[in-house]
Amino acid sequence: MEAATRVCPDDLCPESATYTDAKLGDLFSDLNVVSQHLLLPDSMRRNLPDISASFSGFTKESADPEDSGLGTGVTGTTGITGPTGTTGITGATGSTGITGPTGSTGITGPTGTTGITGATGRTGQGAARKLGRLFAASSSGEESERIDDFVANLKPGQKETLDMIHVEKPHYPWRHLPSGQRYSNLTSEWGGLLPNDGPWMAPPKIVDIALQRHLLDVGFTDTLLGRITSALKAKGLWDESMVVVTADHGGAFKSRVPRRAAVRENMGEIASVPLFVKAPGQASGDVITDHTCATDILPEIAKQLKIDYPWDVPDCPAKQVTVVNSPIGSSTIGFDAMLKQRRNQVNRIQRVFGTGVGWGPTYRFGPKKDLIGTKVSKLKVMPMQHGTRARPLRRNFVKKYNPARPSLRGLLQYGRLSNIPENRVLAVAVDDVIQAVGWTFKDGLGLGIGFSILMPPDSLKRGFNKLDIYLVKGGKKIQLVYDGSTPLKPE
């Protein structure tokens, strides 16, 4: 099951997709956007639709998933299974192998683990590669639905079977909670701040917000992987299968440094990706801290399964890490230097989000986070001033909220500001208790000063929620800038 590649030979996987008129219309629309990205100078590409968020549908926001499951998008988890030791390669584009204080870490951490290299990045030709993937992709189904289809086809009793699924998670745009519920269907939240294949154009604390969303999507990826491993065990396939889980590259979260394209400054996040290999019959695990390359994986599969491997194995220098950017260029760093960068990123995650049980620390972070949990009545509240406003989008969603829905609309407080400069602190209160804080920042599209604050899932109750937004003035002084006490109004 491939979302964005064509690895399976045509004689085994004949092309069955046919384009309808509607799909052709979308294709031509996407081609127009891609051609402008390729041909226009940087100054004229600023306001073009973002093409780094998906492989198609560049001219429109993604459809609201409320009635169709947990969301849409291509994702990546791979599983190669089979009674005689087949493999389950789970690859997630943009997975860093560093999932945060409460997430699972892949093979990472201060002790050093596997830095898989040879990963393919993207340079200025990223749009062209997207065009190729647009033609290659046969579908872009929802992650959970694709996992359901995949595990349904894991059949006991089939010998020498290769089962593989490529799930593009935790791929940008980040939209999911670890539970799989979706809090956003935006494709352009970071438009202008995250140019296609370019560096982050936002200050470090705003990049931290993006890192929060990435970590939550990593949690969702872990949930999807758990469904695959549980299905293998339930069907009696786990013990005798070979299972491989990996990713093609990581994602970097440093201001003024590219997120995807490997450069020396981000190799600790780009080159270090998860790699799990379970051999047939293996009952206990080992941690291997040697430098491993992506080109080592297939030869290892052949070795474990006693399959003849007819090709030469590329060299993988023990003390050197290289990531090959596609279509041109590469970045190389010493193995110890890469481990140091990765260790710094782990430390940064702990410093920004803290530690604790569950995902609570990942939600409850930001400036003045000591205010979280404080009753508004305990603070000095200044009245709303004329013209000083926060204007959240889709503000009615918290006033008729259902926490059981697959799409938790209202959990993301996102919008524009009037007469409030950037780099100020906002506090969001629900029923007069502050539940989240965040910064104001200038977007990259020239639309002005805005905010993007993700609420903890347990901060909103079923039904009506009185959600107010305050500007933190200093000390215990706050000023009301959005009053959410009014009943539902037409959007």
Side-chain angles (χ1 to χ4, degrees):
M1 295 181 64
E2 301 180 80
T5 56
R6 286 296 304 275
V7 175
C8 187
D10 288 340
D11 57 341
L12 294 178
C13 304
E15 181 62 55
S16 59
T18 56
Y19 285 100
T20 64
D21 290 342
K23 288 182 179 178
L24 281 174
D26 291 340
L27 176 61
F28 291 138
S29 176
D30 289 334
L31 284 172
N32 181 49
V33 175
V34 170
S35 65
Q36 291 182 69
H37 271 280
L38 288 172
L39 299 175
L40 294 178
D42 290 344
S43 60
M44 299 181 67
R45 294 204 304 261
R46 178 180 295 273
N47 294 319
L48 289 176
D50 183 16
I51 64 172
S52 63
S54 62
F55 297 116
S56 61
F58 304 136
T59 58
K60 56 188 176 184
E61 296 285 1
S62 56
D64 195 306
E66 187 65 37
D67 300 320
S68 60
L70 298 182
T72 59
V74 270
T75 67
T77 306
T78 328
I80 302 179
T81 67
T84 60
T86 43
T87 323
I89 298 180
T90 78
T93 305
S95 173
T96 62
I98 301 173
T99 70
T102 58
S104 65
T105 61
I107 302 184
T108 62
T111 58
T113 41
T114 307
I116 302 178
T117 62
T120 299
R122 288 179 182 160
T123 60
Q125 299 301 313
R129 289 197 62 198
K130 283 191 180 297
L131 177 60
R133 288 191 174 192
L134 178 62
F135 282 107
S138 60
S139 67
S140 58
E142 206 293 308
E143 296 93 329
S144 293
E145 295 174 358
R146 296 181 67 239
I147 295 295
D148 288 342
D149 290 342
F150 180 72
V151 299
N153 284 285
L154 298 175
K155 307 215 183 271
Q158 291 183 336
K159 300 296 184 180
E160 299 179 348
T161 301
L162 172 69
D163 297 294
M164 187 193 85
I165 180 171
H166 174 203
V167 185
E168 293 232 349
K169 274 290 174 185
H171 196 287
Y172 172 79
W174 310 291
R175 300 168 178 166
H176 289 91
L177 305 179
S179 65
Q181 289 173 292
R182 190 166 178 169
Y183 61 84
S184 172
N185 64 331
L186 294 170
T187 61
S188 56
E189 183 180 3
W190 304 101
L193 298 177
L194 181 55
N196 185 52
D197 295 329
W200 282 98
M201 303 302 291
K205 56 193 174 187
I206 305 306
V207 178
D208 286 344
I209 299 174
L211 177 59
Q212 175 205 40
R213 313 296 167 77
H214 170 76
L215 294 177
L216 295 172
D217 243 39
V218 170
F220 177 45
T221 307
D222 190 61
T223 298
L224 295 175
L225 177 58
R227 287 169 57 182
I228 292 177
T229 58
S230 295
L232 288 170
K233 293 174 182 178
K235 296 184 179 190
L237 294 170
W238 176 262
D239 290 339
E240 56 189 342
S241 294
M242 183 174 190
V243 180
V244 179
V245 181
T246 193
D248 55 353
H249 61 83
F253 291 83
K254 288 184 174 69
S255 180
R256 308 298 173 179
V257 173
R259 177 179 65 93
R260 293 173 59 94
V263 295
R264 188 171 182 83
E265 294 82 359
N266 65 15
M267 289 288 281
E269 297 171 76
I270 296 290
S272 177
V273 299
L275 175 60
F276 303 95
V277 178
K278 189 202 78 68
Q282 183 177 353
S284 61
D286 297 310
V287 176
I288 299 174
T289 59
D290 297 337
H291 175 217
T292 305
C293 294
T295 49
D296 292 329
I297 297 176
L298 188 57
E300 180 65 20
I301 292 173
K303 176 182 175 182
Q304 293 284 347
L305 302 183
K306 297 180 174 57
I307 297 172
D308 179 53
Y309 189 79
W311 304 287
D312 293 333
V313 179
D315 186 34
C316 182
K319 297 185 180 297
Q320 180 176 295
V321 178
T322 298
V323 172
V324 180
N325 290 328
S326 178
I328 58 174
S330 64
S331 183
T332 299
I333 192 173
F335 183 54
D336 290 340
M338 187 278 292
L339 289 179
K340 182 178 180 181
Q341 285 189 8
R342 187 179 66 189
R343 195 175 305 118
N344 289 340
Q345 175 68 349
V346 172
N347 293 338
R348 174 194 170 198
I349 289 172
Q350 293 185 344
R351 183 174 64 253
V352 170
F353 300 101
T355 58
V357 177
W359 287 95
T362 313
Y363 294 104
R364 295 175 175 88
F365 91 104
K368 306 287 185 181
K369 64 181 180 182
D370 56 307
L371 289 174
I372 296 175
T374 302
K375 293 182 179 180
V376 172
S377 60
K378 300 292 185 181
L379 304 171
K380 183 176 180 180
V381 181
M382 301 171 61
M384 189 177 294
Q385 294 182 359
H386 178 71
T388 303
R389 295 284 190 274
R391 294 174 282 117
L393 301 176
R394 297 186 173 181
R395 61 200 70 179
N396 283 339
F397 287 152
V398 299
K399 300 180 180 182
K400 193 177 181 182
Y401 188 75
N402 183 353
R405 284 177 175 167
S407 180
L408 298 180
R409 299 180 294 177
L411 207 60
L412 177 65
Q413 290 300 302
Y414 172 82
R416 301 292 168 193
L417 301 165
S418 298
N419 294 330
I420 300 176
E422 63 179 317
N423 202 30
R424 300 295 297 274
V425 178
L426 297 181
V428 183
V430 178
D431 297 330
D432 297 317
V433 176
I434 294 177
Q435 297 287 355
V437 292
W439 294 274
T440 66
F441 58 92
K442 184 186 298 183
D443 77 359
L445 300 177
L447 299 178
I449 310 300
F451 62 97
S452 180
I453 302 174
L454 184 60
M455 308 289 291
D458 59 1
S459 64
L460 299 177
K461 66 180 184 301
R462 182 183 294 271
F464 183 90
N465 292 268
K466 176 180 175 289
L467 187 146
D468 304 312
I469 301 177
Y470 296 89
L471 176 65
V472 178
K473 306 290 285 188
K476 293 190 174 183
K477 187 183 296 183
I478 58 176
Q479 178 188 337
L480 183 66
V481 292
Y482 171 73
D483 183 352
S485 63
T486 57
L488 286 170
K489 293 181 179 180
E491 289 285 356

